[in-house]
Amino acid sequence: MREVWILAETKAGRVAPVSFELLAWARSLGSPEEISVAAVLPGPAADPEELCLHGADLVYHAADPALDGLAAAPVALVFGSLFARRRPEVLLAAATTTGRTLLPYLAAREGLGLTADCTELELERETGVLLQTRPAAGGNIMATIKTTRGLPQAATVRPRSRKPLARDPGRPVRVEMVALPAGAAAAAARGPRLVEELPFAESKGLADAPLVVAGGRGFKKKEGFALLEGLASRLGAEIGASREAVDRGWIEYPHQVGLSGRTIAPDFYLAFGISGAIQHLAGMQTAGTIVAVNADPDAPIFALSDLAVRGDLFDLLPRLAAALEDYRPAARS
Ligand SMILES: Cc1cc2nc3c(=O)[nH]c(=O)nc-3n(C[C@H](O)[C@H](O)[C@H](O)COP(=O)(O)OP(=O)(O)OC[C@H]3O[C@@H](n4cnc5c(N)ncnc54)[C@H](O)[C@@H]3O)c2cc1C
C-alpha cells in the first residue's frame, strides 16, 4: 500500500475547499487497495472530519493555535515530526500562496525534489514514481517530471485542476491529533502571525461562474465578438476568451481562460470559434459540461467536448440567441 499525503489548508477556521481538490488528485493515483491517503491539517479547524468525508483515510490534525496562518517554519517542524514516524511516497499541496510558500521551504529543509504548479499527476504502478506534468519552456510544451531521489515526492497542483469527490457521509472518520513539536512555538513566535482574517465578498466573476460562454479567433473581429456579449447577458453567463481574442483587444485580459489566464471549472462551458490549443484546455478542462461550436471538424476542442457542434458561429449564435428570446436566467445567490 502506497501512502499519499496532502497539505490541507483552512479558511476562516474551516477546511478550505481546495483541500478537497487535492484529495481527489490523491485518490486518482490508484485504487483504495493500492493507495492510502492522509491529510495533514495544521492549525485550528472546526471540521477536520470533512477531509475524511471527501476522500482522506486519516487526518493528522496539529490544532495548536500557534500554527494558525500556516507560517512555513513551524508547519515544517510538524511535517518533520510526522516524517520521523513514517514518510509517504507522495506529498501534494495546492499551488496557492500557502502551498507555494510552504512546500519549497519544506523541500529545502528535508532535501526533497519538488515540482511546482502541476496540471496532471499519475503514479507509475510498478515503481511508485510520480509522473508530474506541468507547462515548461514558457508554456510551449508540457513536461513530465520524475523525482528519482528522496521521499516524499513533493508537488504543488494548480487549484481547480480537478473537481473534488462528492462528499460521502458514510466514509469512516479517523482524526489523529498531533502535538506541537519542540521548537515550533518559538518558530511561530519569530514568524508572521495571523492577526485577523478578513472575510472577502464572494466573487461573482469568471472564476466562480457556473455558466461561461467563451469566444476565440473564430469571431474574426471585435464587432463579431459583441455577438457573444449579447448571448452572455441573455443567459446570465460570464464571458471567457482565448488568448487570441484577448491579444487582439476584443476583450480584456481578466476574461482570458488558460495557462496564462484563469483556470475555471464552471458547470457549463460553451465555446465558440476556439480551436482548443493545449494552453486553452489547461484552463477549462474540468468544466462539468463542455459544448463547442467550430467550423473545423478536426478542432482539438471537440475531443474534450460533451457536445461538438460543427458549424458557422455567425449562423448558429444568432439563432441560439433568438431561441432564448424568452429565457430568464435564475438569480444567483
Ligand atoms: C506560453 C503560452 C501561454 C498561452 N496561454 C494561453 C491561454 O492562457 N489561453 C489561451 O486561450 N491560449 C493561450 N495560448 C495560445 C494558444 O496556444 C492558442 O494560440 C490560442 O488558444 C488559440 O486561440 P483560438 O482558439 O481563439 O484561435 P485559433 O487557434 O486560431 O482557433 C480559431 C478557431 O475558430 C474556428 N473558426 C473560424 N471561423 C469560424 C466560424 N465562422 N465558425 C465557427 N468556428 C470558426 C477555427 O476552425 C479555429 O478552430 C498560450 C500560448 C503560449 C505559447
Side-chain angles (χ1 to χ4, degrees):
M1 176 85 78
R2 301 190 191 284
E3 279 199 37
V4 179
W5 290 9
I6 66 130
L7 168 69
E9 296 183 29
T10 55
K11 191 173 170 188
R14 305 184 76 80
V15 174
V18 73
S19 312
F20 305 142
E21 296 173 21
L22 287 176
L23 289 170
W25 271 118
R27 290 260 74 119
S28 78
L29 298 177
S31 69
E33 290 72 38
E34 295 165 325
I35 302 277
S36 78
V37 176
V40 179
L41 175 63
D47 54 352
E49 69 285 353
E50 285 300 320
L51 290 160
C52 293
L53 305 186
H54 284 87
D57 299 311
L58 171 64
V59 178
Y60 294 112
H61 190 190
D64 196 290
L67 299 166
D68 210 1
L70 297 179
V75 175
L77 288 172
V78 171
F79 273 96
S81 74
L82 292 169
F83 287 163
R85 287 159 53 190
R86 60 196 313 129
R87 276 183 183 260
E89 258 98 345
V90 174
L91 171 62
L92 304 178
T96 52
T97 309
T98 298
R100 284 179 168 155
T101 308
L102 184 65
L103 243 60
Y105 185 94
L106 185 64
R109 195 174 181 278
E110 298 283 335
L112 311 176
L114 169 65
T115 306
D117 228 6
C118 297
T119 53
E120 281 295 334
L121 294 172
E122 211 181 314
L123 207 56
E124 252 179 13
R125 225 163 241 273
E126 321 74 54
T127 59
V129 168
L130 186 66
L131 305 176
Q132 305 158 100
T133 302
R134 54 151 296 152
N140 290 308
I141 56 165
M142 300 301 279
T144 299
I145 296 165
K146 295 180 181 182
T147 314
T148 51
R149 274 182 293 155
L151 286 184
Q153 307 163 80
T156 60
V157 189
R158 266 200 168 201
R160 294 197 173 82
S161 57
R162 193 165 198 109
K163 279 197 184 308
L165 300 170
R167 183 178 187 272
D168 178 357
R171 280 184 57 81
V173 171
R174 242 181 99 203
V175 180
E176 186 183 313
M177 300 311 288
V178 178
L180 198 63
R190 280 194 303 273
R193 296 286 302 148
L194 181 69
V195 180
E196 189 186 357
E197 201 164 353
L198 299 175
F200 55 90
E202 274 299 303
S203 158
K204 293 279 187 258
L206 182 61
D208 304 302
L211 176 57
V212 172
V213 294
R217 193 151 73 101
F219 278 91
K220 312 272 193 287
K221 50 187 178 180
K222 191 169 181 153
E223 295 70 44
F225 209 80
L227 284 171
L228 193 66
E229 285 155 20
L231 181 66
S233 67
R234 182 148 295 170
L235 287 171
E238 290 291 331
I239 297 182
S242 72
R243 183 157 118 177
E244 286 286 342
V246 171
D247 285 353
R248 282 173 162 69
W250 299 346
I251 191 157
E252 300 80 36
Y253 171 72
H255 293 270
Q256 184 173 316
V257 173
L259 197 59
S260 45
R262 283 175 184 274
T263 305
I264 59 172
D267 297 333
F268 198 91
Y269 190 80
L270 178 54
F272 290 92
I274 293 179
S275 60
I278 189 168
Q279 295 90 353
H280 187 80
L281 302 183
M284 43 61 76
Q285 59 195 351
T286 53
T289 301
I290 298 171
V291 175
V293 176
N294 200 299
D296 175 6
D298 298 320
I301 198 165
F302 281 164
L304 200 77
S305 301
D306 299 284
L307 180 63
V309 183
R310 182 188 166 192
D312 182 349
L313 69 89
F314 293 106
D315 170 36
L316 288 168
L317 202 156
R319 281 164 54 193
L320 178 60
L324 292 166
E325 187 75 27
D326 299 324
Y327 175 80
R328 294 285 168 272
R332 284 171 66 190
S333 56

